[in-house]
Amino acid sequence: MLPGAARAAASESDQVAVFEAVRDADLKLAAIGWRLAVANAPLCDRLEPGTGLQLHTLDQFDSGTRDLARTHFGFATPVAIEAVVPGSPAQRAGLRNDDSLVRVGPIDIAALPGTAGTTQRLVAAQLALAKLAPDAPIEVEATRAGAPIRVTIQPVPACKSRFELRLASDFNASADGTMVQISARFFETYPEEQVVAAIAHEFAHNVLHHRDRLEARGVDFGLLSGFGGNVKYFRQTELQADLLSVYLLINAGYPPEASTAFWRSFGPSKAGGIFRSRSHPHWRDRVATLDAEIARARTISTRPIVPAQIAERAQPLSGDWQSLLVRHR
């Protein structure tokens, strides 16, 4: 093999390894999101069909890797199955990694809008799927290794929320009402149980409709969140999400103590920037607040636990964060 060809082969092999590493990471997050969203469906008033499908689109690959991605993943249509959550309805229906989707229920995959270099088509597929009845059978047409297949997924109700891995070296996690996004760096740095706690906190924001309720208060987001009248509302939502995350973890079978373990690990060295801003309580106070709520939750034997704040999510934010906080001593 010529030296140039050898370098090209090595480069291709390295890129394939990256593809598979991303697939594994996406599946890890999808499995956590699936578990949290399905177990806590009784707490949610916005539901979607839980299928266990982790999708990707050929569009999302840059021009330098798109042809290799097409070959490696066997894309025969614009949207394919990147991974399937073990034990999910999609797996029980017989769907597999790299099946290319043709139609999902009434959704014609080829008709979805999309632009090369973006995730537009992927998001369109996810949003269209989320609009289907949460527990009605879904007929799926796909291709596998060039052959057509037809299966029926029997979904289960799940809280309406997408979970997206952010391929970045920072420590950012966020929720916008419909999606939870977390940087891959968390998985590289902390035990998975602790990362689950961070995800549950962000997921709690969506369950409690915090984005909608903050917008209804007319607050400023971003750098201005830590100034003026914004502060009390952001602190209230942060503490509410901390408290609810305890119950989301318990309902999904995770140890709630993972939340305090995360903050004890993350807080001292990395709770800077937005985490140290006036809009977020001090990490030590968050640990004390979580410890108290975990002790309270341990006295409740019913499952799933539906805490009182679920009934309060339709109310405007009051800005009262002080009554929620337990101070570190």
Side-chain angles (χ1 to χ4, degrees), residues 36 40 43-44 159 197 200-210 213 236-252 256 259 289-290 293-294 297 305-311 313 324:
L36 288 169
N40 289 288
L43 280 65
C44 295
C159 298
H201 169 88
E202 298 301 335
F203 180 45
H205 283 305
N206 288 351
V207 174
L208 293 172
H209 308 331
H210 277 158
R213 294 163 74 191
Q236 183 183 12
T237 58
E238 285 303 306
L239 288 166
Q240 285 182 345
D242 279 349
L243 296 173
L244 181 59
S245 72
V246 169
Y247 300 97
L248 299 179
L249 290 169
I250 290 174
N251 289 341
S259 59
T289 302
L290 284 163
E293 196 67 19
I294 290 168
I305 305 174
V306 183
Q309 61 177 301
I310 291 297
R313 69 179 157 208
L324 302 175

Side-chain angles (χ1 to χ4, degrees), residues 26-250:
D26 280 345
L27 177 57
K28 184 179 294 186
L29 177 58
I32 293 168
W34 157 263
R35 185 168 164 181
L36 288 169
V38 171
N40 289 288
L43 280 65
C44 295
D45 59 348
R46 299 172 181 174
L47 298 173
E48 67 181 26
T51 63
L53 287 173
Q54 176 65 23
L55 307 179
H56 61 171
T57 176
L58 186 60
D59 296 335
Q60 71 193 64
F61 296 91
D62 62 41
S63 58
T65 61
R66 196 169 298 135
D67 286 343
L68 180 58
R70 187 196 308 273
T71 301
H72 178 70
F73 294 112
F75 276 100
T77 67
V79 177
I81 298 175
E82 181 186 22
V84 179
V85 173
S88 67
Q91 186 185 60
R92 290 195 294 272
L95 290 170
R96 302 177 189 169
N97 293 1
D98 301 335
D99 288 346
S100 293
L101 299 178
V102 176
R103 181 175 294 275
V104 181
I107 306 164
D108 180 358
I109 296 299
L112 294 174
T115 304
T118 75
T119 58
Q120 180 185 6
R121 200 184 314 263
L122 174 62
V123 173
Q126 293 169 327
L127 293 178
L129 182 58
K131 290 180 180 179
L132 301 181
D135 55 1
I138 302 172
E139 302 292 330
V140 177
E141 298 176 30
T143 64
R144 177 181 298 162
I149 61 170
R150 290 174 179 264
V151 302
T152 300
I153 301 176
Q154 181 57 60
V156 295
C159 298
K160 186 174 288 188
S161 193
R162 295 181 290 123
F163 294 84
E164 180 178 283
L165 190 70
R166 184 168 178 264
L167 299 179
S169 59
D170 56 26
F171 288 97
N172 282 334
S174 62
D176 66 1
T178 62
M179 179 178 69
V180 169
Q181 187 182 75
I182 188 166
S183 296
R185 186 75 180 277
F186 281 96
F187 285 104
E188 298 166 0
T189 309
Y190 299 101
E192 185 170 323
E193 263 185 9
Q194 293 184 22
V195 181
V196 171
I199 294 168
H201 169 88
E202 298 301 335
F203 180 45
H205 283 305
N206 288 351
V207 174
L208 293 172
H209 308 331
H210 277 158
R211 185 77 183 195
D212 292 344
R213 294 163 74 191
L214 285 167
E215 289 178 350
R217 281 296 184 188
V219 303
D220 289 308
F221 292 89
L223 294 177
L224 295 178
S225 64
F227 296 92
N230 299 314
V231 174
K232 60 184 179 182
Y233 297 119
F234 279 103
R235 285 198 171 190
Q236 183 183 12
T237 58
E238 285 303 306
L239 288 166
Q240 285 182 345
D242 279 349
L243 296 173
L244 181 59
S245 72
V246 169
Y247 300 97
L248 299 179
L249 290 169
I250 290 174

